[in-house]
Amino acid sequence: MLRVALREIRAHLVRFVLSVLAVTLGIAFVTGTFSLRALLSDTFSSIIASTTQGDVYVRGLESAGADDAEAVPAEDSPTAGPTTAAEASSAGVPDGEATMPDAPEVPGGAELPADGAELPEEPGGSQGGGTQMLGPQRTAVDIGLVDVVREVEGVDQAVPDLLGTVVLVGADGRAVVNGQAPSLGSALREDDPSGTLVAGRAPRDASEIALETTALETSGLSIGDTTQVIVGSGGLTDVTVVGEVTYGNPMAGTTLVLVDPETGEEAFAPGGEVPSVAVFAADGVDPDELADAVAEAVAGEPVEVATGDVVREEANEAINQLLGFLGTFLLVFAMISLFVGGFIIANTFAMSVRQRQREFALLRAVGASPGQVMTTVLGQAAVVGLVGSAAGIAGGIGLIAVVRRWLASMDMELGGQVVIDPAQAAGVVVLGTAVSLVAAAIPARRAAVTPPVEAMRDDVAVVERSLHVRAIAGAVLLAAGVAATVVSVQEGTDRAGTWLGVGAGAVLLGTLAVSPAIARAFLGVLAWPAVVALRPVGRLARGNVMRNPRRTASTAGALMIGMALVGATAVLAESAQASTSSIVRTESRADFWVQSATRAVPPGAADAIAALPGAGRADVVSTGRATVTGPDGAADTVSVVGLPADAFGETIEVEVVEGDLSGLADGEVAVSRTAAVARDWAVGDELEVTGLDEPVRVGAVIASQLLGVPVVMDAEPFAEAVPGGQTVIMAVLVDAADGIAADDLRGALGEVVDPFVVLTVQDAEELTGSLADQVDQAMVILYALLGLSVIIAVLGIVNTLALAVIERTREIGLMRAVGLSQLQLAATITVEAVLTAVYGTILGVVVGVGLASALPSIFAEQGLTELAVPWDLLATMILLSGAVGVVAALWPAVRAARLPVLQAVSDD
């Protein structure tokens, strides 16, 4: 029977190739996801390895309440437990949790981790020997310990971790901004053991800098060129590029500027504290023994000591955990593509079984058992799955290779090799084959039960079962899905997102089930213009698509799923933009917002803005991280925002859910509604915040999207809770003084911010526009990912039409014989494709918009407060689906028109 299956594949190679292509595209996406994750992991691991070369690290104690119980003070255990050194936030880099400069979080997109989690958006580290890594919040280390550690026997060097924000002006006179990659500064010593001086020399004073190779290429500068930089909180400084440094691995687009040690300490450790101290062992000294000796030397200090291996392992684990989130996100779209591909395979085999009914009957008549006939069909499906999976693996690796080159062209080169390990490859092959077998199972069973008597008939009559049972089951499933969706939007529903997910799945499956039952009526109406305008083509096309509603619904179903997701995404994007505009209108009262392309406003700029005579108010909004312990004793490291207490009602407005904000000036704090629910905080509770001598009272529970952090406090206690070196100025909110026109203030602000290169001045309308652009950028990624499922669905239409031409060969010959021209025949096939595509698109748009309408009720806390439906875009999608149908019909239509009339009429 295997020989029969292979012979059938050779006889109908086009059908086989189209089915294989459907599997290939889905598997390529799965393989590409695995490869991309491995590539990113290799890239970050190599960066960590090259920038974390210390043999031992002295670092601050892990903040209270962290989960890692192994990390203990140095005097207790010199080499205990995995832990991490400084984080991006401790270097003045935003941690991504505060949402003021960004658009509201988009549900269903790449969401941020929960409070306390870190984002791997700053892969570069301190090149002086320490590193910026991911992990729990830690206290700072007194830089004076460097001198103590240097005296320990066996220590070759002890280097403080100096890392902070920097702005580099490129050769074109503009700030170097490389996408979302950070721009960081660190210190470089003449004998720095972690980096290699490729050319030139190390900087010797504040007038000189060195650049990492990627930064040198991105900026367009060369050794000997003069430019300008803003280091830390300083102003714009003229400098000369004196050296090029490499750390042996791509920096994933990070712009790294290296200054001399004295400038680095002044800029990045103004309070005399650093995140960690990297210790390099002398030749022949064991790192574990050195860690013991260093721990003994710093005993009594609020620090702990860990070997470099432990630190690197911790950082790699954090990176892989976060990359796992990215992998899961991409795999969802890969599974969608495979699901859509399954429709094509099922439709292909269903039509194939219909066409080969007499062949199967003959096999039964000559002694083949039902099991053997079923094995024949499933054997073909297995070959489709195996070949498609193998091609998909190669395609996925090739796809990521292209992505890698594209990123490299934008100076975001990734390290590592584009590979997929054997276990993943085997899993992918099993997945692709399983999808093919499952999709072909029902057609295979239908072939297996073909009665042998069918071989005796001149014309094989396929008796279709009634659609009543399927329609009833689909209606029940559809009603259950709608009910679950309604439950999800009810106020107070627990796990509303889960209810919506279950409801969406049931609605999709229910719609697919009832589709054949409604197809005839729907298509009858949809085809009316073609019937009236295109005679006899319209009538013929309508009859063809209505004659077999199962086949038409199955073909349209693949497109329906893709368009439902695209429609839901369109509503999501429009709603996010409307929500953003609403948030700015509701919460922003400032005349102007001053923000930075690097996400951090230089403190010098904030001071200059505040000194403007025309500025009535200049409220600085800062963010940092602090460990907060609740009344129940549970501690958590969260983002905290600090701004003047009297800014509320003046430059910013928030919704007060409970309590009031009057106590902020007296040291109280406000907590977000989300944090209050999650951590069981309430007005009147007392919280312990690191850096503050006394517990602070919760004075208010607020709902704010611009201040999207758990804790908000007055600027004065914020400065005590978060050390100066660990804060970031997110924005400066500026109001014009009495009697000063807004245009005059804007001009003055422009003169102030121009020297800082990366700052922008925006009014409320411009701020709304920039946030909307961020939403658009995020949505483009989703549209691109969903586009693959639409492409696969279009292949399904091509496949179905091609098979329909084969199935109706005699019918086509008869129509040609009685006078239908080649052009009319091609037009008939084309109208069929257009009707199928438009039917699937309308069905998908209705389902997608209906489900997406529930999102604002569920994700209001995440910033999705408004429902907006882009009717113009949805109408365009429906019109474009007609064009998709025309494109899909080209090859089948040409093939049908070219069939020889006599050969077609005599086809058996």
Side-chain angles (χ1 to χ4, degrees):
M1 300 309 291
L2 179 60
R3 185 176 300 173
V4 173
L6 295 177
R7 184 178 296 132
E8 176 64 21
I9 289 174
R10 289 196 302 271
H12 300 282
L13 192 59
V14 172
R15 179 173 62 204
F16 172 75
V17 169
L18 288 173
S19 299
V20 166
L21 189 56
V23 178
T24 297
L25 290 174
I27 291 298
F29 207 162
V30 176
T31 304
T33 297
F34 286 140
S35 298
L36 179 61
R37 187 188 183 283
L39 188 63
L40 290 172
S41 180
D42 288 346
T43 298
F44 288 120
S45 293
S46 62
I47 291 174
I48 289 169
S50 61
T51 60
T52 315
Q53 299 183 19
D55 297 303
V56 175
Y57 284 88
V58 179
R59 59 220 181 150
L61 298 178
E62 190 173 312
S63 296
D67 294 333
D68 190 347
E70 293 184 66
V72 294
E75 60 268 27
D76 295 332
S77 176
T79 58
T83 170
T84 61
E87 305 177 29
S89 58
S90 66
V93 180
D95 63 334
E97 188 173 349
T99 60
M100 175 174 287
D102 300 313
E105 176 185 336
V106 180
E111 300 177 2
L112 299 178
D115 296 338
E118 298 296 327
L119 291 171
E121 56 183 35
E122 283 80 39
S126 171
Q127 312 307 326
T131 183
Q132 168 262 317
M133 291 176 292
L134 306 173
Q137 182 81 354
R138 296 185 175 278
T139 59
V141 175
D142 189 338
I143 198 171
L145 288 180
V146 172
D147 296 329
V148 175
V149 174
R150 282 175 181 162
E151 300 301 321
V152 176
E153 185 177 354
V155 172
D156 180 53
Q157 288 191 51
V159 183
D161 185 5
L162 298 172
L163 183 71
T165 56
V166 70
V167 177
L168 172 67
V169 178
D172 59 359
R174 300 179 179 179
V176 178
V177 179
N178 196 4
Q180 296 298 312
S183 181
L184 303 175
S186 186
L188 178 68
R189 291 164 175 77
E190 292 283 355
D191 55 351
D192 194 321
S194 61
T196 302
L197 200 61
V198 177
R201 58 176 175 81
R204 295 172 180 168
D205 56 42
S207 66
E208 298 177 344
I209 62 169
L211 296 176
E212 191 270 333
T213 300
T214 300
L216 197 66
E217 295 173 353
T218 305
S219 65
L221 297 168
S222 302
I223 294 178
D225 288 351
T226 58
T227 185
Q228 295 177 308
V229 294
I230 300 174
V231 180
S233 60
L236 205 61
T237 304
D238 294 327
V239 294
T240 301
V241 181
V242 298
E244 176 185 355
V245 180
T246 182
Y247 293 90
N249 291 287
M251 300 301 291
T254 299
T255 301
L256 184 62
V257 179
L258 302 157
V259 299
D260 66 286
E262 183 177 346
T263 301
E265 290 187 17
E266 181 180 343
F268 307 136
E273 294 180 324
V274 293
S276 66
V277 176
V279 183
F280 294 86
D283 292 340
V285 176
D286 181 73
D288 290 330
E289 295 178 359
L290 182 60
D292 292 338
V294 170
E296 184 177 348
V298 298
E301 298 289 340
V303 296
E304 63 183 27
V305 178
T307 62
D309 289 340
V310 168
V311 170
R312 287 183 284 273
E313 181 181 354
E314 170 82 11
N316 281 320
E317 288 178 357
I319 287 290
N320 287 328
Q321 181 180 0
L322 290 166
L323 291 180
F325 168 81
L326 173 63
T328 300
F329 175 71
L330 293 176
L331 278 175
V332 168
F333 292 93
M335 293 300 104
I336 291 171
S337 299
L338 275 177
F339 184 59
V340 173
F343 272 81
I344 298 177
I345 297 168
N347 214 22
T348 299
F349 279 94
M351 296 183 70
S352 174
V353 167
R354 286 171 56 91
Q355 295 170 25
R356 298 163 57 201
Q357 201 84 326
R358 177 176 293 178
E359 176 187 332
F360 293 130
L362 285 171
L363 287 173
R364 293 291 312 281
V366 298
S369 67
Q372 288 176 316
V373 174
M374 189 169 185
T375 300
T376 300
V377 179
L378 291 180
Q380 295 175 33
V383 173
V384 168
L386 290 170
V387 175
S389 298
I393 290 174
I397 293 175
L399 176 64
I400 297 305
V402 172
V403 171
R404 182 177 183 175
R405 286 182 175 273
W406 174 64
L407 291 174
S409 69
M410 298 188 298
D411 300 312
M412 296 186 67
E413 187 173 348
L414 302 180
Q417 299 296 320
V418 183
V419 296
I420 179 171
D421 63 53
Q424 290 175 333
V428 165
V429 170
V430 170
L431 177 63
T433 305
V435 168
S436 298
L437 290 173
V438 170
I442 294 178
R445 182 182 179 279
R446 185 172 301 169
V449 298
T450 301
V453 72
E454 294 288 348
M456 311 302 174
R457 304 171 65 102
D458 289 332
D459 292 311
V460 177
V462 179
V463 179
E464 296 284 359
R465 290 176 298 172
S466 171
L467 291 171
H468 293 315
V469 174
R470 175 171 175 169
I472 292 172
V476 171
L477 196 58
L478 189 59
V482 172
T485 304
V486 171
V487 169
S488 71
V489 302
Q490 301 303 309
E491 188 174 353
T493 299
D494 292 332
R495 304 184 67 83
T498 301
W499 278 102
L500 178 60
V502 172
V507 167
L508 279 174
L509 294 177
T511 304
L512 290 171
V514 302
S515 180
I518 64 174
R520 282 196 177 101
F522 198 106
L523 288 167
V525 175
L526 198 61
W528 178 79
V531 172
V532 173
L534 302 172
R535 298 186 179 186
V537 168
R539 187 179 299 276
L540 288 172
R542 182 183 63 180
N544 289 335
V545 295
M546 293 174 62
R547 186 177 302 119
N548 193 327
R550 279 189 173 87
R551 183 177 65 200
T552 302
S554 180
T555 305
L559 189 60
M560 186 270 283
I561 294 172
M563 286 303 182
L565 295 170
V566 172
T569 302
V571 174
L572 179 60
E574 191 77 5
S575 298
Q577 291 188 357
S579 299
T580 298
S581 178
S582 175
I583 289 168
V584 173
R585 288 195 310 268
T586 303
E587 298 191 26
S588 174
R589 289 178 174 268
D591 292 329
F592 297 103
W593 287 60
V594 179
Q595 298 186 84
S596 171
T598 62
R599 305 184 187 180
V601 178
D607 294 338
I609 292 170
L612 274 176
R617 294 189 64 91
D619 295 325
V620 175
V621 184
S622 302
T623 184
R625 294 179 71 80
T627 299
V628 180
T629 304
D632 58 356
D636 200 359
T637 300
V638 300
S639 286
V640 180
V641 158
L643 74 167
D646 58 355
F648 293 99
E650 297 293 335
T651 55
I652 193 168
E653 189 72 56
V654 299
E655 177 188 351
V656 179
V657 179
E658 184 181 358
D660 61 74
L661 298 170
S662 60
L664 259 63
D666 299 323
E668 293 182 347
V669 299
V671 299
S672 70
R673 177 165 51 189
T674 303
V677 172
R679 297 173 172 84
D680 198 24
W681 293 343
V683 172
D685 287 347
E686 290 194 339
L687 309 178
E688 294 183 7
V689 182
T690 53
L692 300 183
D693 296 332
E694 300 291 334
V696 295
R697 180 181 181 274
V698 176
V701 175
I702 63 174
S704 171
Q705 297 302 323
L706 290 180
L707 301 178
V709 296
V711 179
V712 178
M713 59 177 61
D714 182 53
E716 186 175 337
F718 174 85
E720 298 176 8
V722 185
Q726 300 180 20
T727 64
V728 174
I729 297 178
M730 299 165 60
V732 181
L733 313 185
V734 187
D735 264 350
D738 293 339
I740 302 296
D743 289 342
D744 294 338
L745 176 59
R746 184 177 196 125
L749 284 172
E751 293 179 3
V752 169
V753 304
D754 277 349
F756 292 92
V757 189
V758 291
L759 298 182
T760 58
V761 179
Q762 297 176 312
D763 57 23
E765 183 177 350
E766 292 166 334
L767 178 64
T768 300
S770 66
L771 295 180
D773 288 342
Q774 294 179 31
V775 173
D776 286 340
Q777 292 172 9
M779 290 298 105
V780 164
I781 297 174
L782 291 181
Y783 283 130
L785 294 173
L786 292 172
L788 182 60
S789 65
V790 176
I791 291 173
I792 295 175
V794 172
L795 286 177
I797 297 176
V798 175
N799 200 11
T800 300
L801 290 174
L803 292 174
V805 168
I806 297 171
E807 185 180 33
R808 290 152 44 199
T809 299
R810 177 180 291 182
E811 175 190 331
I812 289 171
L814 290 172
M815 287 191 296
R816 293 277 286 112
V818 297
L820 195 69
S821 69
Q822 287 184 320
L823 182 60
Q824 287 175 321
L825 178 59
T828 301
I829 303 295
T830 302
V831 173
E832 290 179 35
V834 170
L835 290 175
T836 303
V838 173
Y839 171 60
T841 300
I842 292 177
L843 213 58
V845 166
V846 170
V847 171
V849 171
L851 293 174
S853 298
L855 292 175
S857 299
I858 298 173
F859 295 104
E861 290 293 332
Q862 284 72 37
L864 200 68
T865 57
E866 302 288 329
L867 173 64
V869 180
W871 298 111
D872 55 343
L873 178 59
L874 298 178
T876 302
M877 286 169 52
I878 294 173
L879 292 176
L880 287 177
S881 68
V884 166
V886 173
V887 172
L890 288 177
W891 177 63
V894 170
R895 179 172 179 168
R898 288 181 175 177
L899 282 175
V901 176
L902 292 179
Q903 179 182 332
V905 171
S906 62
D907 184 72
D908 190 7

